[in-house]
Amino acid sequence: MFVGSTVTANELTEADPDRFAMVDKEGNDLGWYTVPSDLEILKEPNSDEIMYGKLLLNETKRMLPDNVGATMNCNSCHVAEGKANFGAPYLTTSHQYPKVMPRAGKMVDLTGRINGCFQRSMNGKPLHPESPEMKAMLAYMDWLSQSQPEGAKVDIINAPLVDESLVPDPVNGQLVYEAQCATCHGDQGEGLKDKRGNLIFPPLWGPESFNIGAGMARTYKAASFVKFNMPMAVSKEGAWGQGGVLTDQEAIDVSEYFTHLPRPDFEGKVNDWPNGKKPKDARY
């Protein structure tokens, strides 16, 4: 309790951890997976490494300036430090790799997947796979999923689908952007920093944004994220940043608008989808 304050510890919001059902490959019940509290990290033998990984994911631009070209952090896209359902969560990431990625056309491990984000979403350079920084980020993701039994399927959705039969209308998208997005991301999509230089909201286009090779540069992929996570400050109940404000059409329109505005190129795009099946919203 702070002297002179009317707020006491007893008045703080009680924690209510998210839980998700788990089943095995045959669909048998494996009980519940509970998203761990960060307060539990200090109980781990590699707590320093996990905490370093958590810091890097939150403050990637500041901590790794040689590897991040955009004004963005990993958690600019991974909502609530990767703990939010529908918000590109890390909660099951460790168990999902390696796997065949259609864009790469080959098996990709988690190190390769993270470095893909460095090169595309953050328009930068990959980390050395054996670097302390890469190992720390992997340690944080491993910690999040360590209570999940091997082979468990957790009822978590990375990004729900939107109706891809809908035709984008960028003119309406600009109106949606001005009404719902510009307050945080700026009139020119430049993002928002505080007076100390801390990144508050990432730029959505322009030289400091993600490049054309990022998944977020695709209309329908971006629309899924926007519909279920944006605008972040609207929700007054439950967890912060739950989206659900825009219709599918509005989310598609605004995503068509901002993804097609100028942004950095990505030379490596020429190697994408070598086996075909390029999605219809790919920009190249």
Side-chain angles (χ1 to χ4, degrees):
M1 177 178 178
F2 294 98
V3 176
S5 170
T6 58
V7 178
T8 69
N10 291 334
E11 294 171 317
L12 294 175
T13 300
E14 186 175 352
D16 183 17
D18 288 331
R19 296 195 308 163
F20 301 93
M22 295 188 294
V23 296
D24 63 18
K25 293 180 179 178
E26 287 71 41
N28 299 310
D29 183 13
L30 292 177
W32 294 92
Y33 162 68
T34 301
V35 179
S37 165
D38 286 357
L39 297 177
E40 302 296 313
I41 294 177
L42 293 180
K43 298 177 182 177
E44 301 297 326
N46 63 334
S47 59
D48 287 348
E49 186 177 44
I50 297 171
M51 289 298 291
Y52 185 38
K54 171 181 158 65
L55 177 63
L56 289 167
L57 293 163
N58 271 324
E59 301 186 40
T60 327
K61 175 67 174 178
R62 183 176 69 83
M63 299 287 290
L64 299 170
D66 293 337
N67 297 89
V68 180
T71 304
M72 304 187 77
N73 299 314
C74 295
N75 289 345
S76 296
C77 296
H78 299 277
V79 178
E81 300 182 327
K83 291 183 175 180
N85 199 24
F86 303 160
Y90 302 132
L91 301 176
T92 59
T93 297
S94 288
H95 294 322
Q96 293 175 342
Y97 293 87
K99 66 179 180 181
V100 175
M101 301 289 290
R103 188 172 62 190
K106 61 183 180 181
M107 191 75 76
V108 176
D109 62 15
L110 183 51
T111 297
R113 181 67 186 87
I114 291 172
N115 271 334
C117 281
F118 271 96
Q119 294 171 280
R120 296 166 185 266
S121 299
M122 293 187 284
N123 192 38
K125 301 175 183 177
L127 286 171
H128 191 287
E130 297 299 321
S131 65
E133 289 74 21
M134 176 62 79
K135 290 183 176 180
M137 288 191 283
L138 294 174
Y140 176 75
M141 295 176 191
D142 288 345
W143 168 74
L144 282 173
S145 59
Q146 66 180 358
S147 66
Q148 299 163 17
E150 186 70 24
K153 179 176 175 57
V154 184
D155 189 18
I156 290 173
I157 299 176
N158 183 54
L161 299 177
V162 294
D163 184 355
E164 296 193 13
S165 69
L166 296 173
V167 178
D169 177 356
V171 175
N172 185 54
Q174 181 173 1
L175 297 177
V176 174
Y177 182 85
E178 292 169 353
Q180 300 283 1
C181 315
T183 298
C184 295
H185 292 286
D187 292 340
Q188 301 302 316
E190 69 275 20
L192 179 66
K193 299 173 188 172
D194 68 14
K195 290 184 177 179
R196 300 178 181 87
N198 297 311
L199 175 62
I200 307 300
F201 295 103
L204 296 188
W205 68 85
E208 294 190 75
S209 187
F210 50 86
N211 67 43
I212 196 172
M216 198 64 80
R218 291 168 41 198
T219 296
Y220 294 98
K221 193 171 182 65
S224 170
F225 182 85
V226 168
K227 176 178 169 61
F228 292 95
N229 296 286
M230 299 287 124
M232 297 197 76
V234 168
S235 298
K236 295 182 179 179
E237 303 292 336
W240 184 69
Q242 294 298 289
V245 173
L246 305 180
T247 65
D248 276 23
Q249 184 69 63
E250 290 170 329
I252 291 168
D253 292 349
V254 74
S255 297
E256 176 82 356
Y257 170 67
F258 76 77
T259 61
H260 284 69
L261 288 168
R263 64 185 62 261
D265 193 11
F266 178 61
E267 293 183 0
K269 66 181 185 298
V270 296
N271 299 316
D272 289 349
W273 295 288
N275 302 324
K277 297 183 179 180
K278 181 188 294 187
K280 68 177 183 180
D281 58 351
R283 294 282 307 281
Y284 44 89

